[in-house]
């Protein structure tokens, strides 16, 4: 996380108090008070309960809120942002995370608002999907800072994303605009879990990269994945790593099938980036997530193939860069999304 202060996502929020930020994922539920300069205090986290029912998972969220309420700065909080794994429906305040089976159309926004109120904080609250939250974070403090029109992507076990258009976060009516993983880039491609065909996610996610490599005859070694840098897409360890991390390690050693798997993924991502840039004139694509940790193993083929897809004068210079905020993106993004999407609090009289 940057150590120097940065402007708040909107100038009107610069003089306001902290934002309560909650980041909900399949492995952890985290919280913090995020200040207008991007610093975080009162950070806390709980493991996402395994095998619990819906209320059991919500109990962990309530514990995070309770921890935050003990901060001496709690009373000065002005808004709350919730970033969650999806699918989300922000029009209803509900989530159905793929990696939290107990939550299906769970009214997380309503439940968090109730927890806040129970601790004396009647705050305006917004829900954002994790891809949209990451986009808000990277535009505020990360690699998309200073770009009025940007596509930000998370490439991990799935492929998600979000859009900045004219310096505004653009989540869409249900919070799913920019979900680039389900743009079709292969007309006769294999079926995707979403019901479509040839989706980016079915080619470029960590799961898809590993599956395709194995289908082509690649076999992991006992040291595959060690030192590869790929996170969020690893196996349990202790043996051959037949995941995207293992494929990345093999590609770094020159394995032709592994290199072909990443080239195929890079081509799919390049096609989707070019299509998005052509449609809404984004000038930068920021890519984060576990697969992006493979570095040039992923970025080199994206940039190479992009030249063949982004050919029009207004998109041929689109940049592709790695995300900057890493593990901080969830909490900072929840706060940034809330600051960008909620009205600014009235100035003190």
């Amino acid at each position: 996380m940057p150590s120097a202060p940065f402007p708040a996502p909107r100038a009107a929020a610069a003089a306001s108090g902290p934002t309560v930020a909650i980041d909900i994922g399949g492995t952890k539920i985290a919280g913090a008070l995020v200040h207008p300069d991007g610093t975080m205090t009162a950070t806390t986290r709980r493991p996402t309960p395994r095998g619990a029912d819906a209320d059991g998972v919500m109990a962990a969220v309530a514990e995070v809120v309770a921890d935050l309420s003990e901060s001496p700065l709690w009373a000065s909080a002005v808004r709350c942002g919730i970033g969650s794994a999806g699918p989300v429906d922000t029009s209803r305040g509900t989530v159905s995370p793929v990696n939290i089976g107990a939550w299906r159309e769970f009214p997380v926004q309503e439940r968090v608002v109730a927890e806040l109120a129970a601790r004396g904080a009647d705050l305006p609250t917004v829900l954002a999907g994790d891809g949209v939250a990451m986009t808000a974070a990277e535009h505020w403090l990360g690699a998309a800072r200073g770009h009025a029109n940007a596509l930000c992507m998370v490439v991990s076990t799935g492929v998600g994303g979000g859009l900045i258009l004219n310096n505004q976060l653009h989540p869409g009516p249900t919070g799913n605009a920019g979900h680039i993983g389900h743009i079709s880039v292969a007309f006769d491609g294999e079926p995707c879990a979403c019901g479509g065909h040839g989706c980016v996610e079915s080619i470029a996610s960590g799961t898809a990269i590993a599956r395709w490599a194995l289908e082509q005859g690649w076999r992991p070694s006992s040291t595959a994945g060690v030192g590869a840098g790929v996170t969020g897409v690893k196996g349990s360890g202790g043996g051959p790593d037949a995941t995207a991390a293992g494929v990345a390690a093999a590609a770094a050693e020159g394995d032709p099938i592994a290199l072909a798997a990443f080239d195929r993924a890079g081509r799919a991502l390049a096609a989707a980036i070019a299509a998005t840039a052509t449609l809404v004139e984004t000038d930068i694509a920021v890519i984060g997530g576990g697969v992006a940790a493979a570095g040039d193993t992923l970025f080199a083929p994206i940039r190479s193939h992009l030249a063949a897809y982004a050919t029009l004068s207004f998109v041929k210079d689109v940049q592709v860069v790695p995300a900057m905020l890493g593990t901080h993106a969830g909490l900072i993004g929840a706060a940034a999304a809330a600051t960008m999407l909620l009205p600014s609090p009235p100035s003190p009289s």
Side-chain angles (χ1 to χ4, degrees):
M1 177 181 171
S3 58
F6 285 93
R10 289 194 317 203
S16 65
T19 298
V20 176
I22 299 171
D23 177 27
I24 300 171
T27 59
K28 73 174 190 317
I29 297 166
L33 298 181
V34 180
H35 300 269
D37 66 355
T39 58
M40 297 191 297
T41 58
T43 55
T44 184
R45 62 187 291 169
R46 293 287 190 282
T48 304
R50 303 281 185 185
D53 61 11
D55 286 336
V57 177
M58 185 62 210
V61 178
E63 290 174 5
V64 166
V65 175
D67 287 349
L68 297 178
S69 71
E70 294 175 3
S71 167
L73 298 173
W74 177 254
S76 63
V78 295
R79 65 182 75 80
C80 175
I82 308 163
S84 176
V88 303
D89 184 344
T90 58
S91 67
R92 299 171 58 212
T94 61
V95 296
S96 303
V98 172
N99 50 9
I100 304 178
W103 278 7
R104 290 295 172 266
E105 299 186 3
F106 185 77
V108 67
Q109 183 170 331
E110 177 185 328
R111 295 290 295 271
V112 168
V113 167
E115 292 295 332
L116 295 170
R119 290 165 176 79
D122 186 11
L123 301 178
T125 300
V126 72
L127 169 67
D130 51 8
V132 171
M134 176 264 195
T135 300
E138 291 292 333
H139 185 250
W140 179 19
L141 298 178
R145 186 168 178 251
H147 291 266
N149 301 286
L151 166 68
C152 297
M153 306 171 63
V154 180
V155 183
S156 187
T157 50
V159 177
L163 289 168
I164 295 288
L165 301 177
N166 296 324
N167 280 314
Q168 300 291 321
L169 187 63
H170 184 74
T174 67
N176 292 288
H179 201 336
I180 195 169
H182 295 291
I183 288 178
S184 178
V185 292
F187 182 72
D188 294 318
E190 63 184 84
C192 178
C194 74
H197 288 265
C199 293
V200 174
E201 185 171 298
S202 70
I203 299 170
S205 70
T207 306
I209 289 170
R211 182 180 65 246
W212 187 87
L214 289 166
E215 289 172 351
Q216 303 309 306
W218 172 75
R219 293 295 176 265
S221 69
S222 60
T223 58
V226 177
V230 181
T231 60
V233 288
K234 287 189 177 181
S236 58
D241 190 352
T243 68
V247 180
E253 296 171 358
D255 183 285
I257 295 177
L259 286 167
F262 270 89
D263 184 76
R264 180 174 180 265
R267 185 180 181 188
L269 291 166
I273 290 167
T276 304
T278 302
L279 185 66
V280 294
E281 290 197 61
T282 51
D283 58 17
I284 190 169
V286 177
I287 304 179
V291 176
D296 280 348
T297 300
L298 178 69
F299 283 89
I302 293 174
R303 292 170 179 143
S304 175
H305 286 294
L306 191 60
Y309 291 105
T311 58
L312 294 170
S313 60
F314 60 94
V315 296
K316 65 183 180 62
D317 294 326
V318 63
Q319 301 176 53
V320 178
V321 300
M324 290 175 57
L325 297 178
T327 57
H328 297 290
L331 287 171
I332 291 177
T339 305
M340 296 177 82
L341 296 174
L342 290 169
S344 298
S347 301
S349 55

